[in-house]
Amino acid sequence: MKQTLSILFALAFALSSGLVMNTPVAAATVNVPGDYSTIQAAVDAASPGDTVVVAAGTYAETISIDVPNLTLRSAGGADATIIDAGGAVVAVEVMANLGDVTVEGFTVRNWTGAGIVQRIAQKEGTALHVLNNKVTAPEQTSTPGGNSIQVTGDGSSVIGNEVTVAHQTGPSSACGILVGVGNNVVVRENYVSGAPNGDSGIAVVGADPYGRAGPDNTIVQKNVVEDCRAAIVVQGDASDTLIEGNTTSASSAGIYNGPIGTYQPTGTQVRLNSISHSTDWGVANAADAAVDARQNWWGHASGPSGEGPGAGDAVSEKVLFDPWYADEAMTHLASEREVINVTQGTLHDTIKEAIDQAITGDTIMVTPGVYNERITIPQDKPDLIIQSVDGPSVTIIDGSNLAPGPLVVIGADGTILEGLTVRNAASLVESDDWPGIGILIWGASQCSIINNIARDNEIGMAVVGGIVYPRDEEPVHLAANGNVIAGNEIGVNAWANLVLVNTSGNTLEENEVYGDPREYDLGIVIAGGKGMTGWIIGFGLEGWFFDGTSENNEVLAGSMHQCWAGVLILNASGNIVQDNSIANNDIGIVVVGHEEEEEYLLTGEAIGNTISNNAITGNSLVGIGVGGETCTGTTIDRNTIADNYWAGVGIFESFSWGEYDIKGITEDGAVVINFNNIEGNVQAGVWNETDVVVDATHNWWGHAGGPSGEGPGTGDAVSENVDYSPWLNAPYPGGQPVGLPTVTTLDATDVTADSATLNMDYTLGYCSTVDVIFGYKKSTDEDWDVTALVTRQADGTHSATITGLAPETKYDFLAGVVFDDQGIEGAVLHFATAAPPASGCFVATAAYGTPMAEEIEILREFRDGYLLTNPLGQALTGLYYRTSPPIAEFITAHPGLKPAVRVGLMPAVALSTVVVNTTRPEKAALVGSLVLISVAVAVWATRRSKDTEYA
């Protein structure tokens, strides 16, 4: 009972809160003939939003749809699913206020007045979508209308249908597809053909007598219409109809635009259509407003006939047809005039005239020809697009016979310049005028310079920003950032090909930059800093001063060849040169940071530039040159640096730049050269003339054994102050780091009065085996003693114990590794031997009772001066120290033995005295014998006394 009450309570709550009533009912699918035998019966039984799916077959009936948001769709497509109206006036009719209704995938035939229709009176509230049907009209009809498909609702669409057109024998015209008074309708990708007397293929018609305006913004796109009296018609008060990408043929008129009574069409635009084989007109315009019919194919390369200049389909008055396409594929525009503002539809004789009359965002097309003019895009006209019709090889701006200065000056943000050749901009660098720059971006950002050719100028292209102080005028602040210069051919310009001055964030991509045999022909220059412009970058403007930075620019995927320097980075920071081919220049890439102020040379910093993944080959001096006291953080990685004549990478102490002297780098780590393939460079792989250390580790030098020169191998040479180890044992990527063997001297252990253990860590590096060794000596000596060589086959540690050392003595020692007839030494360390117990003369001290006895001083002098100077004496001394302490202790404990021991030591003392006054070999032999005898006697006497005492 409790459970039942809970359920009822929940149900009552749901009803009271509207949860049950507001739950949407899922749309259903109604099948014909599965659920209902006729289509109309299924439609009548359907609920809003349902889909009626009709199986293949022929259905002899007419359909009236009055269900909101209904989809009527065939299961097998139009060829298999046929609605046969049996001579009725209308086959399929759709009513008002139904939302979105779709009719898809049927053949509709045997009607006399309309195939699929939405009447003008049924326009409101219904968007009809007629998709992928075949609607077959009778050859002729006297019934008013006679339209195969008619839509009137806003937002309707007619897509993918195959339609035939009837001939209206009455006063009006039949249509294959009629758009009447509906706004924002799309008619796309239909095939429409006329019967022998077919009337209009596609018609967009206004002039509703009940005052319903429209149609507006109709799109008629990518349809094929043929064999009609008029292929496409716009009539009445239709506005802003776009007729685009259609193909019309074999009709009396390709496109007709005209009034109905006082109703006039406006804004009709006809573009990118193929209009051919029209018997009367390609485009006929009877309305008051002009029809924009530019950029169409008229069936002939010469353009339209009639009011046009050519032999193609005719155009009437008030039809704008220029430019037109000169080929059926519509890839090449042609024009009666040379320059076309495509956006405004105006024609101009010069590029300058077109720019002067353009407004923001206009597109200007330039037809083939040679234009002897200078053009400027002013700051107040951003986002202009200036393009050639047929590419730079035939579209040329030529500066011959013009005054010195730039030919193309871009001062407006967002400008696009594409497909032009700019040549012969010239001036004398010594003059006060601008140099001859082909294309100059002067303080403009986000511009695109694409697929142009700049040649035979003093400077091919330049981008200039920063702060400029021009000849006694107020400074000009220029932000020339974020420009894209891509796909251009820039070459044989007298001073430099592509120059960036005090600009940031520009991208130079896929350009081909090349020089000619003239000296100091620079490829790409990225220059920053402050000072007067100088010959080094081609600006010889007397009295002009520049101040700013060039940073974070990118040079990507281009080709720089046959220049004095392929890429020059001068006082510019954070720039990237990546994925380029830089070959057959004098110098491939130069990075310079120069701080000393000169009259014509910019000064600044070159920090954090990256040269990565380029092929830098065949340059006659160096592949990459780095210098300048403000040049730091240059990263050279993952490049192929090969077959350059003098050096792959050169780090300069100082060098001359014209009349100026440039210093070398001054900081360790200013240049890092890692993971490059450096091989085949004639003189050196990396040559460092400075005292600072260059990190050139992890490179492939052309041989698994590493670099030659200061290196151990036979690969490209390295100079001093080049840290090359470890290197790669095969080209990058894939090569693994290897290097020289290493050795580390470790502290000595187990140090006694006469011995010590020496220790080391070592690695094999690139070697399969190495020999390890220690050297040691008294700190006061000059000559070293060494341990035996020991061969090792793996990284590890090694120790050796040395004996016979002098007590209380400081020793030096070091570890070494020997390989390939050369050696590496570790650091020199030190240890001091311990003092011997008591005085060191244990037995004698016990016998005489004091270490200060005269006899003991003689014995100590003999030990230090003669025994410890040779291995045999050292061994005897060590034996004595190890065996005598217990004997001395026994003598001390038994004083009665001291006289006997003193007697036993007398020969040793006497002979030691004699040895001091003899030659060194005599001393060693004589004293050694006496000591042994004395020790033996003393030991014998002691033991005998001991045996007697304890007997």
Side-chain angles (χ1 to χ4, degrees):
M1 174 65 72
K2 290 182 179 180
Q3 183 179 9
T4 304
L5 289 174
S6 298
I7 294 171
L8 291 173
F9 179 80
L11 178 60
F13 174 78
L15 289 171
S16 66
S17 62
L19 295 177
V20 173
M21 295 180 66
N22 293 333
T23 301
V25 178
T29 298
V30 182
N31 294 291
V32 178
D35 297 323
Y36 297 92
S37 60
T38 67
I39 300 173
Q40 187 63 59
V43 169
D44 292 342
S47 298
D50 283 357
T51 299
V52 175
V53 178
V54 181
T58 299
Y59 297 83
E61 57 180 308
T62 60
I63 313 298
S64 177
I65 298 175
D66 198 12
V67 179
N69 300 311
L70 183 77
T71 296
L72 177 60
R73 177 181 298 132
S74 71
D79 289 334
T81 314
I82 302 167
I83 297 175
D84 191 315
V89 175
V90 176
V92 179
E93 186 171 7
V94 178
M95 305 303 171
N97 299 311
L98 302 181
D100 287 289
V101 174
T102 300
V103 178
E104 181 177 4
F106 296 92
T107 289
V108 180
R109 69 187 187 192
N110 288 336
W111 47 270
T112 60
I116 301 173
V117 64
Q118 178 187 23
R119 302 179 190 273
I120 293 177
Q122 296 156 351
K123 159 187 169 63
E124 300 301 330
T126 299
L128 174 58
H129 306 289
V130 184
L131 312 176
N132 304 317
N133 300 281
K134 291 184 176 181
V135 183
T136 304
E139 289 188 6
Q140 63 182 31
T141 177
S142 59
T143 303
N147 303 316
S148 299
I149 298 173
Q150 176 178 313
V151 295
T152 58
D154 294 349
S156 296
S157 61
V158 182
I159 301 173
N161 301 278
E162 183 178 323
V163 179
T164 60
V165 183
H167 170 58
Q168 170 62 258
T169 59
S172 61
S173 174
C175 301
I177 299 171
L178 172 67
V179 177
V181 303
N183 300 315
N184 302 308
V185 175
V186 175
V187 180
R188 180 183 295 131
E189 296 176 358
N190 301 281
Y191 173 74
V192 182
S193 64
N197 296 310
D199 292 343
S200 301
I202 298 172
V204 180
V205 180
D208 174 28
Y210 300 101
R212 285 168 286 205
D216 299 332
N217 301 313
T218 305
I219 297 176
V220 180
Q221 192 175 57
K222 297 183 180 180
N223 302 280
V224 176
V225 186
E226 58 187 14
D227 294 319
C228 297
R229 288 171 58 191
I232 300 174
V233 173
V234 179
Q235 279 188 295
D237 57 352
S239 66
D240 298 322
T241 303
L242 174 63
I243 302 172
E244 180 181 64
N246 303 279
T247 299
T248 71
S249 64
S251 299
S252 296
I255 296 169
Y256 173 78
N257 186 77
I260 297 178
T262 60
Y263 296 97
Q264 292 276 349
T266 58
T268 303
Q269 187 173 9
V270 180
R271 68 185 186 195
L272 304 177
N273 301 281
S274 174
I275 304 170
S276 63
H277 301 94
S278 304
T279 56
D280 295 324
W281 297 101
V283 173
N285 181 24
D288 293 339
V291 172
D292 182 352
R294 291 169 292 192
Q295 301 182 62
N296 295 284
W297 164 246
W298 300 98
H300 196 275
S302 59
S305 58
E307 295 296 314
D313 283 22
V315 294
S316 69
E317 294 180 344
K318 294 179 287 186
V319 175
L320 305 177
F321 58 84
D322 191 348
W324 61 89
Y325 277 103
D327 63 322
E328 190 170 5
M330 289 190 284
T331 60
H332 297 287
L333 282 171
S335 174
E336 289 185 301
R337 305 285 292 275
E338 294 177 326
V339 184
I340 311 130
N341 186 318
V342 176
T343 307
Q344 297 186 25
T346 55
L347 305 174
H348 306 275
D349 293 321
T350 66
I351 305 172
K352 181 181 184 304
E353 177 187 286
I355 293 172
D356 289 345
Q357 297 182 24
I359 61 174
T360 297
D362 279 0
T363 296
I364 296 171
M365 301 296 296
V366 184
T367 61
V370 177
Y371 297 81
N372 190 226
E373 59 177 307
R374 175 175 287 112
I375 64 174
T376 298
I377 298 92
Q379 186 178 11
D380 61 354
K381 293 187 178 182
D383 302 320
L384 291 187
I385 300 173
I386 303 170
Q387 296 174 312
S388 69
V389 170
D390 287 315
S393 63
V394 294
T395 314
I396 301 165
I397 298 176
D398 191 295
S400 299
N401 303 317
L402 296 179
L407 285 181
V408 178
V409 179
I410 298 173
D413 293 347
T415 300
I416 297 175
L417 184 73
E418 182 174 2
L420 299 169
T421 288
V422 183
R423 70 187 188 192
N424 295 328
S427 71
L428 296 175
V429 172
E430 291 79 8
S431 74
D432 287 350
D433 296 310
W434 274 98
I437 303 172
I439 300 170
L440 170 63
I441 298 177
W442 177 246
S445 299
Q446 309 300 324
C447 298
S448 297
I449 311 300
I450 303 171
N451 299 329
N452 301 282
I453 297 174
R455 58 174 296 137
D456 298 318
N457 308 286
E458 284 191 339
I459 299 173
M461 297 183 187
V463 182
V464 179
I467 302 175
V468 181
Y469 300 85
R471 288 194 294 265
D472 301 322
E473 299 175 16
E474 290 297 319
V476 179
H477 294 259
L478 306 173
N481 305 322
N483 299 287
V484 175
I485 300 176
N488 300 281
E489 178 187 320
I490 313 169
V492 295
N493 297 288
W495 291 99
N497 290 304
L498 176 53
V499 177
L500 274 61
V501 180
N502 294 337
T503 67
S504 299
N506 299 286
T507 300
L508 282 52
E509 187 170 9
E510 295 184 352
N511 300 287
E512 181 184 5
V513 179
Y514 57 93
D516 67 5
R518 288 177 287 190
E519 190 176 7
Y520 301 119
D521 180 11
L522 298 169
I524 294 176
V525 179
I526 302 175
K530 63 182 179 179
M532 296 182 67
T533 56
W535 65 269
I536 196 169
I537 56 171
F539 291 92
L541 307 180
E542 194 71 32
W544 287 54
F545 187 87
F546 281 68
D547 190 359
T549 59
S550 272
E551 57 188 6
N552 304 323
N553 299 288
E554 295 183 323
V555 181
L556 306 174
S559 171
M560 297 98 217
H561 55 96
Q562 296 178 336
C563 299
W564 180 76
V567 178
L568 166 61
I569 299 175
L570 173 66
N571 303 325
S573 299
N575 302 285
I576 296 173
V577 181
Q578 183 173 303
D579 299 324
N580 300 281
S581 173
I582 304 173
N584 302 318
N585 306 283
D586 287 345
I587 302 175
I589 301 174
V590 184
V591 183
V592 178
H594 177 63
E595 68 178 357
E596 292 189 4
E597 293 191 9
E598 307 283 0
E599 183 179 5
Y600 287 111
L601 185 59
L602 295 178
T603 63
E605 296 179 328
I607 300 174
N609 295 290
T610 298
I611 300 169
S612 182
N613 205 41
N614 303 280
I616 305 169
T617 60
N619 299 286
S620 61
L621 293 176
V622 294
I624 302 172
V626 182
E629 63 272 35
T630 64
C631 181
T632 61
T634 301
T635 298
I636 301 171
D637 69 347
R638 296 179 293 126
N639 302 281
T640 294
I641 307 172
D643 302 322
N644 302 287
Y645 180 75
W646 182 66
V649 181
I651 316 298
F652 301 111
E653 174 87 36
S654 63
F655 57 96
S656 296
W657 199 298
E659 59 186 282
Y660 309 113
D661 292 326
I662 307 296
K663 296 179 181 178
I665 60 173
T666 58
E667 295 183 16
D668 287 348
V671 183
V672 177
I673 308 167
N674 301 144
F675 301 103
N676 301 279
N677 293 323
I678 304 173
E679 58 183 316
N681 300 286
V682 177
Q683 302 297 326
V686 174
W687 190 263
N688 182 11
E689 295 180 345
T690 72
D691 293 332
V692 303
V693 176
V694 173
D695 178 356
T697 60
H698 296 89
N699 296 291
W700 164 249
W701 300 94
H703 193 275
S708 58
E710 293 295 314
T714 58
D716 280 22
V718 295
S719 68
E720 294 180 342
N721 297 320
V722 175
D723 182 6
Y724 57 83
S725 181
W727 59 86
L728 301 181
N729 60 4
Y732 176 87
Q736 297 300 310
V738 296
L740 296 173
T742 63
V743 63
T744 303
T745 309
L746 304 178
D747 290 336
T749 57
D750 300 328
V751 180
T752 67
D754 68 328
S755 66
T757 299
L758 309 182
N759 306 288
M760 72 168 74
D761 280 336
Y762 67 91
T763 63
L764 270 61
Y766 75 96
C767 301
S768 58
T769 64
V770 296
D771 293 325
V772 293
I773 193 172
F774 290 103
Y776 63 97
K777 69 178 184 68
K778 288 182 180 179
S779 297
T780 56
D781 291 347
E782 293 184 2
D783 297 331
W784 290 81
D785 292 320
V786 295
T787 62
L789 287 170
V790 178
T791 300
R792 297 297 192 191
Q793 296 180 333
D795 299 345
T797 62
H798 175 64
S799 300
T801 300
I802 54 175
T803 60
L805 305 178
E808 298 182 290
T809 303
K810 184 178 180 180
Y811 282 85
D812 302 336
F813 72 102
L814 56 81
V817 171
V818 180
F819 63 97
D820 291 348
D821 298 326
Q822 57 183 314
I824 295 177
E825 297 176 348
V828 176
L829 301 183
H830 314 281
F831 68 87
T833 52
S839 68
C841 295
F842 308 105
V843 175
T845 300
Y848 290 105
T850 174
M852 304 304 296
E854 182 180 355
E855 292 85 354
I856 293 176
E857 287 294 333
I858 293 173
L859 292 174
R860 186 179 293 117
E861 182 179 355
F862 166 70
R863 179 199 67 188
D864 295 342
Y866 302 102
L867 284 182
L868 295 180
T869 60
N870 61 85
L872 178 59
Q874 293 168 357
L876 291 173
T877 302
L879 175 63
Y880 173 74
Y881 285 148
R882 290 190 293 274
T883 59
S884 61
I887 298 173
E889 291 175 3
F890 184 79
I891 294 172
T892 302
H894 301 83
L897 295 176
K898 292 182 178 180
V901 175
R902 288 196 292 270
V903 172
L905 289 174
M906 287 178 62
V909 174
L911 289 175
S912 294
T913 303
V914 173
V915 167
V916 171
N917 298 315
T918 62
T919 63
R920 180 167 293 189
E922 292 172 339
K923 292 175 182 177
L926 181 59
V927 174
S929 301
L930 290 176
V931 169
L932 287 174
I933 294 171
S934 298
V935 170
V937 170
V939 171
W940 174 82
T942 302
R943 288 181 175 174
R944 182 173 177 81
S945 298
K946 183 178 179 182
D947 292 342
T948 302
E949 183 176 351
Y950 290 96

